[in-house]
Amino acid sequence: MSEFHYVAYAQEVIFGPGSLGRLGEAVDRLGAQRLMLCTSPSLHSAGHVAAIEAILGDRLVAVFDQVRPHVQDVQADEASTFAESKQVDAVIGLGGGSPLGMAKAVAYSLEKRSQPLPIPGAPAAQPLVPVVAIPTTYAGSEMTAVYGITHTREKPPRKITVSDPKIAPKVVVYDPNLTLDLPPELTASTGMNALAHCIEALYSRTRHPLSTAAAISGVRHIAEALPACYAHGRDLEARTQMLIGAHLAGRSLADVAMGLHHGLCHVLGGTAGVPHGIANSIILPHAVRFNAETTALQLLPAAEALGVRVDGQDPAAAVEAAAEKIFEMAGQMNLPQHLREAGVREADLPELARIAFQSHTVQNNPRPMTDAAEIERLLRAAW
Ligand code: NAD
């Protein structure tokens, strides 16, 4: 790691219990007057939309509260047309990675519609329509300049990623109070998603000193706080520590190229319909195992943070033990540990492997993938 390159974004991050109350002042600083809110039905019924309406008053001119998982192209078109008709000048995403992705998709679409700029933008370009992110899961999208969108008309449907510096949220409000009612399964699965970001950042081919520091600290926070949040959802201190872990995970995710694990989870989500956190939880031990020999030295701090004794151990053996710990952690939180429990059919594995092999994220893996059969073997082990 003697040479590195990364793009950092000018983002205002507001963290702490009660920080939703500071949304208004952050929006003032942005200068936004006509905001749209993208969220999902459960967050609306939990009363969070009403809270934002009370904070923003007339400045909230549009609410799109029907976001479904995996950002479907049809919905993104609908939401973008709605936003255009309301002449919105900033888009808020409230919820998990799906509403945050939808807010980015709308902002990106408005950017393209209003001025046909060359896309993608230069690293330092400022957005025309900024995104404000208020995460309520641990998925990490709030820190990144990327969203996934599912092309539903393709057979089979395929999820692709869109990346542009202008869609990196300009304001991120982390309020642990908003996560107190996150149900145990979503706590566990999106927490495993955050853990996966740290792991892939540690062995990323584009890692750098800051991404590594964030990822190691992220694993430490998550390893300690996630089981506590799963067991006691309303423990504000545990929720706060876990959200710090998710922030560090998102920070490291934003800076580096992901690999095999991330690419596979996108295929399992977009094509096989597996919820993103569940896919992460099932695949992570297998991806760690696959990369163990090549990346053992990078993964040792994560192994140690997960409670594996690393002193005097062969590094690859310690990483293998870490993979087992991750598998056990998923089981202790009652998450599915096999793809067959997540509705994936055995007969579909070759096709999923073929699609995954074409993914540039999968091809970015530190241990090169030689053919689709290699991915199919991993999927069979996870099945
Ligand atoms: P999600 O956004 O699809 O939400 C899953 C469910 O959780 C929804 O039903 C939602 O209503 C519910 N929910 C969210 N917060 C809640 C809360 N506080 N209380 C109760 N219910 C709540 O799931 P996710 O796992 O957060 O995000 C996954 C999506 O995000 C995937 O599409 C993935 O590709 C994407 N993602 C993108 C990035 C990125 O950098 N762009 C990073 C991570 C994930």
Side-chain angles (χ1 to χ4, degrees):
M1 217 207 294
S2 55
E3 287 182 12
F4 54 88
H5 165 254
Y6 68 97
V7 177
Y9 312 108
Q11 293 173 302
E12 178 173 358
V13 177
I14 305 175
F15 190 103
S19 57
L20 185 64
R22 295 172 61 193
L23 175 66
E25 63 185 63
V27 165
D28 286 346
R29 283 191 287 272
L30 267 187
Q33 293 296 333
R34 299 184 61 79
L35 291 104
M36 174 177 183
L37 173 63
C38 296
T39 192
S40 47
S42 67
L43 286 150
H44 197 156
S45 40
H48 300 314
V49 172
I52 290 178
E53 279 168 347
I55 292 167
L56 294 180
D58 292 348
R59 287 184 292 177
L60 188 64
V61 296
V63 176
F64 185 88
D65 62 2
Q66 293 301 317
V67 178
R68 289 196 292 267
H70 297 303
V71 189
Q72 299 174 4
D73 50 1
V74 188
Q75 274 211 318
D77 291 347
E78 191 189 330
S80 301
T81 302
F82 182 37
E84 195 174 35
S85 74
K86 293 287 183 181
Q87 298 176 300
V88 310
D89 59 9
V91 191
I92 303 174
L94 165 76
S98 299
L100 270 50
M102 181 63 80
K104 293 177 187 180
V106 169
Y108 189 70
S109 167
L110 292 182
E111 187 102 30
K112 279 198 301 185
R113 287 181 195 197
S114 55
Q115 46 180 61
L117 280 177
I119 300 265
Q126 293 301 308
L128 201 64
V129 183
V131 174
V132 175
I134 310 175
T136 66
T137 72
Y138 305 124
S141 170
E142 66 278 2
M143 295 307 295
T144 75
V146 183
Y147 66 92
I149 185 153
T150 306
H151 289 185
T152 51
R153 296 178 197 96
E154 285 186 33
K155 297 261 178 295
R158 185 188 295 244
K159 189 167 174 181
I160 59 141
T161 51
V162 178
S163 175
D164 189 285
K166 294 199 215 71
I167 55 176
K170 298 304 289 178
V171 175
V172 184
V173 178
Y174 283 105
D175 188 339
N177 286 327
L178 300 179
T179 64
L180 291 176
D181 292 322
L182 187 63
E185 185 191 314
L186 281 165
T187 297
S189 62
T190 66
M192 294 299 271
N193 187 187
L195 179 62
H197 293 149
C198 297
I199 301 275
E200 286 235 297
L202 284 174
Y203 60 50
S204 170
R205 289 160 74 163
T206 61
R207 68 188 180 277
H208 57 80
L210 269 179
S211 64
T212 298
I216 293 173
S217 182
V219 179
R220 290 192 182 123
H221 279 82
I222 295 164
E224 188 153 338
L226 183 55
C229 291
Y230 176 78
H232 307 287
R234 297 200 65 81
D235 178 342
L236 183 60
E237 178 52 25
R239 288 291 191 183
T240 302
Q241 292 306 316
M242 183 59 213
L243 203 55
I244 293 175
H247 167 59
L248 291 163
R251 173 75 271 167
S252 60
L253 163 74
D255 282 3
V256 300
M258 295 279 108
L260 166 70
H261 171 83
H262 202 77
L264 262 182
C265 290
H266 267 238
V267 174
L268 289 167
T271 304
V274 181
H276 191 63
I278 301 287
N280 269 270
S281 172
I282 296 171
I283 295 297
L284 188 58
H286 299 277
V288 168
R289 230 169 244 135
F290 183 84
N291 284 315
E293 286 285 345
T294 317
T295 66
L297 290 180
Q298 287 90 55
L299 286 178
L300 270 188
E304 190 171 23
L306 287 164
V308 173
R309 192 180 56 78
V310 298
D311 288 345
Q313 271 236 58
D314 167 48
V319 170
E320 171 63 37
E324 197 49 41
K325 282 257 180 208
I326 294 168
F327 183 79
E328 283 165 12
M329 203 169 155
Q332 282 156 5
M333 295 190 291
N334 296 308
L335 288 171
Q337 289 166 293
H338 300 99
L339 289 173
R340 59 177 179 273
E341 298 163 49
V344 178
R345 297 181 316 168
E346 189 176 14
D348 292 339
L349 298 182
E351 174 71 349
L352 293 169
R354 192 187 60 75
I355 296 173
F357 187 64
Q358 293 165 0
S359 146
H360 67 269
T361 312
V362 167
Q363 291 301 338
N364 254 335
N365 195 56
R367 176 179 157 193
M369 312 296 301
T370 51
D371 53 24
E374 202 167 28
I375 302 179
E376 191 183 325
R377 277 195 292 282
L378 187 153
L379 287 173
R380 285 194 184 282
W383 193 81

